[in-house]
């Protein structure tokens, strides 16, 4: 819980505990694993067994009984300690929130305890190549198949499918291909017949891989449908607002890591007289500017999470978008300033900052692009006409 602008003692203790644990792994661990194309399984398992991955999940299903503000604090601290964990955005935040709100008691007992302790990872698939930012155009279909369902379609850029036991797939009912978006959510096991994946070669190095998914006549039992068939966007947004808040937390954590590293270097590195480079305003001011923008961005993250945790989905939608925007921007600025502060060292593998330029860039594109957020704020907050 957050009161005003000060976080509760409990939240601060949570942050400290996560920072201590994630700091034991740190950026060197992530970098090494990414370079070798390996997973961060030990870190994920360790975070799960300490209860950090499930802080937002109800206690009766093995979680900490907190909110998305707590989970965002966990991710922000891990990223600030140099260990960003992309799949936290997906498994406990999107899938855990949707199943926690709309799952049946059976579905909750089946999936939530594993999501909470990290032993069961669920990826999330909405993006399609021909739809992109326009999710209204998705064509993955779900048709009735006796008591169950049969799914057909393709998804792209889906993170972590190789380390997930299941994927929460957004599909639409077969008879509404050209109508309004009527999303339905299905839990598809990654070993289901007809479900295949192809890795997408990405330039940025990170432990989590992205995949194109093919669903060819994937037969699912009736219990695979999460929520109501006619529940529509409301159910989806129970997961997409947490996704945006967590995206903000990831970017803010990354920006903190880059800023800390740059400040330490600026204090230490000296090339003129005895003064460190941080004595030059050309170096100090960009760092100070990042600090201010970062604190603005963290306030938006805090507000968005507080609104979501209070059950104000409409308010949370507006602030989650703004928080994601601000965090994506500050992460890009912070990593760029950090690289520049390090001079040539900023581009070396040893200092590990150059790859972060790409990782930070992701925060401007996914899960919703900067332009789509500006469209949202222009239309919904400012009441301007729709431009697309
Ligand atoms: C590393 C990574 C991980 C991802 N993980 C997942 C995942 O796990 N699950 C999942 O479902 N998806 C995932 N995605 C997909 C991600 O959500 C999309 O890439 C994102 O939503 C943008 O869609 P797009 O790439 O098709 O871009 P496009 O929609 O093609 O947009 C291209 C550009 O055009 C701009 N644009 C589009 N429409 C407008 C408009 N109306 N006005 C102004 N500008 C516009 C966009 O802002 C963007 O700059 C991931 C992507 C990446 C890169």
């Amino acid at each position: 819980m957050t009161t005003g602008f000060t976080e509760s003692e409990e939240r601060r203790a949570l942050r400290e505990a996560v920072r201590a644990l994630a700091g034991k792994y740190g950026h060197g661990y992530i970098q090494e694993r990414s370079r070798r194309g390996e997973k961060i399984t030990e870190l994920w398992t360790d975070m799960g067994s300490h209860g950090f991955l499930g802080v937002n999940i109800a206690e009766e299903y093995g979680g900490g009984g907190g909110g998305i503000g707590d989970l965002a604090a966990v991710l922000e601290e891990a990223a600030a300690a140099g260990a960003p964990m992309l799949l936290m955005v997906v498994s406990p935040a999107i899938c855990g929130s949707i199943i926690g709100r709309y799952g049946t008691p059976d579905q909750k007992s089946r999936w939530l305890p594993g999501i909470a302790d990290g032993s069961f990872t669920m990826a999330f698939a909405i993006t399609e190549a021909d739809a992109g930012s326009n999710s209204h155009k998705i064509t993955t279909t779900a048709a009735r198949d006796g008591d169950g369902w049969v799914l057909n379609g393709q998804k792209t850029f889906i993170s972590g499918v190789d380390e997930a036991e299941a994927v929460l797939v957004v599909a639409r009912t077969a008879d509404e291909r050209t109508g309004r978006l009527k999303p339905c959510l299905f839990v598809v096991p990654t070993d289901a017949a007809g479900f295949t994946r192809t890795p997408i070669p990405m330039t940025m190095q990170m432990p989590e891989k992205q995949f194109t998914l093919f669903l060819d006549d994937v037969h699912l039992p009736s219990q695979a449908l999460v929520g109501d068939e006619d529940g529509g966007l409301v159910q989806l947004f129970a997961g997409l607002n947490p996704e945006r808040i967590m995206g903000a937390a990831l970017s803010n954590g990354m920006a903190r890591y880059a800023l800390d590293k740059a400040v330490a270097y600026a204090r230490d590195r000296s090339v003129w007289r005895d003064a460190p480079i941080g004595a030059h305003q050309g170096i100090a001011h960009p760092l100070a500017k990042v600090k201010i923008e970062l604190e603005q961005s963290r306030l938006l993250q805090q507000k968005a999470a507080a609104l979501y945790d209070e059950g104000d989905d409409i308010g949370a939608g507006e602030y989650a978008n703004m928080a994601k925007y601000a965090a994506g921007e500050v992460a890009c600025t912070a990593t760029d300033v950090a690289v520049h502060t390090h001079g040539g060292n900023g581009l070396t593998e040893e200092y590990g900052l150059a790859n972060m330029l790409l990782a930070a860039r992701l925060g401007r594109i996914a899960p919703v692009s900067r332009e789509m957020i500006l469209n949202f704020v222009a239309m919904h907050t400012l009441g301007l006409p729709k431009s697309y």
Side-chain angles (χ1 to χ4, degrees):
M1 251 311 262
T2 297
T3 318
F5 295 104
T6 316
E7 287 189 323
S8 66
E9 250 181 61
E10 206 181 351
R11 173 78 63 79
R12 278 180 280 160
L14 174 67
R15 283 184 183 274
E16 252 177 59
V18 171
R19 200 167 164 77
L21 181 67
K24 280 201 260 165
Y25 292 84
H27 191 65
Y29 166 81
I30 301 287
Q31 207 179 347
E32 194 50 33
R33 289 298 156 104
S34 308
R35 215 179 274 144
R36 289 203 239 133
E38 291 174 5
K39 308 291 165 215
I40 51 169
T41 314
E42 303 89 349
L43 171 61
W44 185 263
T45 308
D46 216 356
M47 292 280 283
S49 64
H50 281 80
F52 297 147
L53 298 181
V55 286
N56 62 320
I57 287 172
E59 284 178 0
E60 62 177 311
Y61 297 109
I68 208 67
D70 296 307
L71 194 68
V74 170
L75 181 57
E76 188 195 320
E77 289 309 316
M85 299 171 74
L86 181 65
L87 294 189
M88 279 189 69
V89 177
V90 179
S91 191
I94 307 178
C95 303
S97 299
I98 292 177
I99 294 169
R101 258 209 214 178
Y102 295 106
T104 62
D106 276 357
Q107 290 174 328
K108 289 182 194 177
S109 345
R110 184 158 167 218
W111 292 311
L112 291 182
I115 289 177
D117 70 15
S119 59
F120 185 98
T121 302
M122 202 179 278
F124 176 72
I126 183 167
T127 307
E128 293 182 10
D130 292 338
S133 300
N134 185 0
S135 307
H136 294 269
K137 261 175 60 181
I138 65 168
T139 56
T140 294
T141 54
R144 285 270 179 204
D145 173 40
D147 270 358
W149 298 91
V150 59
L151 263 61
N152 277 290
Q154 286 186 17
K155 297 284 176 185
T156 193
F157 284 123
I158 311 308
S159 298
V161 185
D162 54 339
E163 41 192 323
E165 281 73 26
V167 184
L168 187 63
V169 172
V170 184
R172 60 194 307 173
T173 45
D175 57 343
E176 291 193 339
R177 265 176 186 267
T178 51
R180 283 187 66 221
L181 175 70
K182 183 182 167 188
C184 295
L185 297 149
F186 295 89
V187 176
V188 180
T190 46
D191 61 1
F195 179 93
T196 49
R197 60 170 200 249
T198 308
I200 302 173
M202 305 290 284
T203 306
M204 116 182 102
Q205 287 186 339
M206 61 199 291
E208 301 85 0
K209 305 285 170 230
Q210 279 66 48
F211 296 85
T212 301
L213 306 184
F214 303 91
L215 296 109
D216 293 318
D217 283 336
V218 175
H219 290 267
L220 299 171
S222 61
Q223 310 90 287
L225 173 71
V226 177
D228 193 292
E229 196 187 333
D230 296 312
L233 282 171
V234 175
Q235 291 179 166
L236 190 54
F237 272 91
L240 296 190
N241 285 335
E243 178 186 46
R244 283 159 202 191
I245 294 165
M246 293 292 280
L250 188 66
S251 293
N252 283 332
M254 231 188 290
R256 280 174 56 193
Y257 175 83
L259 180 62
D260 287 352
K261 222 169 150 146
V263 168
Y265 194 84
R267 280 200 192 115
D268 192 49
R269 170 89 171 149
S270 175
V271 287
W272 304 100
R273 302 184 308 272
D274 286 335
I277 54 167
H280 308 303
Q281 289 184 340
I283 289 294
H285 282 186
L287 294 170
K289 193 164 164 271
V290 165
K291 175 65 180 164
I292 293 166
E293 288 167 5
L294 181 52
E295 291 309 315
Q296 291 173 332
S297 173
R298 293 180 73 217
L299 280 172
L300 278 172
Q301 175 192 321
Q302 192 179 353
K303 178 159 182 174
L307 289 168
Y308 183 84
D309 287 334
E310 283 165 11
D312 178 357
D313 285 344
I314 304 282
E318 186 180 14
Y319 278 89
N321 269 309
M322 293 199 281
K324 217 277 326 178
Y325 177 94
E329 292 304 303
V330 77
C332 287
T333 314
T335 47
D336 187 53
V337 168
V339 166
H340 201 71
T341 303
H342 281 74
N345 281 336
L347 297 176
T348 61
E349 287 220 352
E350 183 189 347
Y351 283 82
L353 287 166
N355 186 52
M356 281 185 68
L357 289 171
L358 294 182
R361 205 64 186 68
L362 175 62
R364 274 187 176 153
I365 295 168
V368 55
S369 77
R370 179 169 65 159
E371 288 70 31
M372 292 315 292
I373 294 178
L374 293 174
N375 285 336
F376 178 94
V377 171
M379 254 174 79
H380 297 286
T381 307
L382 304 180
L384 294 169
K386 186 169 179 173
S387 61
Y388 56 98

